[in-house]
Amino acid sequence: MHNNLIAAAIGVTVGVISAASIFIYRKILANQQYSTTISDLDAANKKIDELQSELEALRLQLRQQKKKKKISRKFSSNDSTYTVIDNDTDIDIGDDEFYDCSDGESVVSDNDLRISEELNQLDIILKEIDEQVNNEFDVKIYYTLKTLVKSHQDNVEVIWRFARASYYHAEAQTDKNFRRIIILEGIQECERIIENRNPDLYKWYAILIGLNGDYLSMADQIKNGVVFKNYIIMALEICPDDSELHYLLGRFKYEIANLSWIEKKVAATLFTEIPSASYEEALDCFKTAIKFEDKNPHIQLYISKCYIALNEYSCAIDSLKKILDKPILTIDDEKVHTEARDHISPNESAVLVMNHRTRVDWNFLWAAMYQACLPNVATHRLKFVLKDPIRHIPGPGWIMQMNGFLYITRRWEEDQNRLSRTLDYLIALDRRFQLLIFPEGTDLTKNSKEKSNKYAMQHVLPQYSFILHPKTTGFSYLVRHLQQAKYLNAVYDLTIAYPDYIPQSELDLMKGKLPNEVHFHIERIPSWNMPTDDLTLRQWLQERWFNKEQILKQFYKKKSFSAKIWPLTKLHPLHIAFSFWSILTGCTILLLIISPVFQLWTLIHSAFFIALSFFTTGFNQLEMGWYWRWKMHFLTKKYS
């Protein structure tokens, strides 16, 4: 028993010693492994530090390369990845360049750095877009920005540039519906972040609002105009030295000052206080705009329009001269030059020459003159030089007499006296006018064309297909007389053409045989570019007619003078005029039927004008005779 206990004790002792030995061994082994791990971690951390140093060096080198080398950029419209490419390196900034094993704080720092680099890359792209827009707008810019908007929905710098691109892209469209879609997209993007206080955002939002007014009713256009004005003023509060903002505010004030009586009544129903502005206020805005920057050619054009509206004609002409003295460098320059040069100013004295295609040309000329005058400024003061028998026509002939039209008999001695008396009378009254003469003397028919060709053969001149050879005597006299009186501002060369049906007489019009379109080509020649002697003026007119033949030859091939067509001016005054004259004609006919008093009044006046037509040279000549008689009477009385 005792021996068994000793054996058990020895066994337990051996077991404990064995277990202790195993434990001590494992502990020593663990300490060795820990030392090895610590050593390995130290080496790993050292390696990480070296890699981070290399990474920073590479990033620094990349930044230096961006500054020193010319970088070309590619933008993919399918996603928002930006790729920077130079001659040796191809780096996709949308991906991580390296896998970073550093701790969490370092990872956040690298992410911030990557985001910062992406923003820098966006700045580079936006700067490049600005440079391209300043040179010439390309539709690719619009689609580039449209993709950028998707990935930078709250970036005001991207949004206002997209609004600007929407404006340029919309202006280039011919499809009105597609144009409006583009405008509304730009407006929608601006309105999402309109609470941002940014002058460019306000400006281009206002411009798009203005464009959208083309698709709205008159009442909504006025409401739109108020929104336009408010955002322009908000932009000016932030950026008071912006020339374009002053120009846009001037445009708003000019349009408000130019509202018709009916439009002002509509505005009065929409607002407790009617939007008000004057031409003087608009002129001040344009002058402020041109003081800050003189690059926008439209500013000078609207300065001239304001002067015309204020009846300051000499200032208006000086302003137009400044436009024409500048070279044409851009498409805008060309448009403004065309409007300044070829639009007919109703407040200048001018001689107009036009080919005479049919007897009814003058019917369409009235509408053309309405459109050709400077838009929304004033109506023309047109007077015709006509054949003497026309003054005998009851009604129209008598009205033309009272309006001072010039009638010629084709007997030069008598015609010269009539022209001289009429021109001196108009100059003495200081009445600005536009005097139209048909140098061909008659309309183009088979008979007149044969006579013109015969004249060409006798005088060794080219034979024409679309015009007749001009008679130069009357034209030369008119121009020289006005030049000597220093009363000629310009000569206008008008060409009329019919692309489809050509009505030959008033009977065609009465039967409803009307052309679908009538085209006019107008060119203004300032007085200082005109010859001053008789022979050179005659040659000038003959050269003009030779060029007119070439212009018409091209027209009947293309059915158009030019791809550029003047925009229509306001049509509601025409509707009002049509309604007025229709009602007046109807009332006149009704009174002639039912009123004996009106019948007697009509009979007396008809007898008076018939007597004038047969026993005098017309009412206008009688009027001029009275004027000169009374003027001589007062002058004699004054100096006696």
Side-chain angles (χ1 to χ4, degrees), residues 326 365 367 516 603:
K326 292 183 178 180
L365 181 62
N516 293 320
L603 182 62

Side-chain angles (χ1 to χ4, degrees), residues 241-248 288-290 292-294 299:
D241 296 339
D242 190 312
S243 173
E244 193 168 12
L245 290 173
H246 286 284
Y247 164 70
L248 292 171
T288 304
I290 210 166
F292 289 124
E293 185 181 348
D294 194 15
I299 301 175

Side-chain angles (χ1 to χ4, degrees), residues 386-401 405-409 414 418 609-621:
L386 299 170
K387 300 175 187 177
D388 189 66
I390 295 176
R391 69 184 176 91
H392 297 285
I393 300 174
W398 303 341
I399 293 171
M400 292 177 189
Q401 287 184 40
F405 283 35
L406 287 75
Y407 295 99
I408 56 176
T409 62
E414 184 177 347
R418 287 190 182 186
F609 277 102
I610 290 172
L612 282 178
S613 298
F614 282 99
F615 298 107
T616 71
T617 54
F619 182 86
N620 53 341
Q621 296 294 323

Side-chain angles (χ1 to χ4, degrees), residues 1-31:
M1 182 69 177
H2 181 71
N3 290 333
N4 290 336
L5 290 171
I6 293 173
I10 292 171
V12 169
T13 302
V14 170
V16 170
I17 293 171
S18 299
S21 298
I22 292 170
F23 175 79
I24 292 169
Y25 173 78
R26 288 182 176 178
K27 199 70 175 175
I28 292 171
L29 184 61
N31 286 336

Side-chain angles (χ1 to χ4, degrees), residues 281-301:
E281 292 174 345
L283 183 60
D284 288 340
C285 290
F286 293 133
K287 286 182 175 179
T288 304
I290 210 166
K291 180 176 68 176
F292 289 124
E293 185 181 348
D294 194 15
K295 293 181 180 179
N296 185 349
H298 293 277
I299 301 175
Q300 197 70 55
L301 180 64

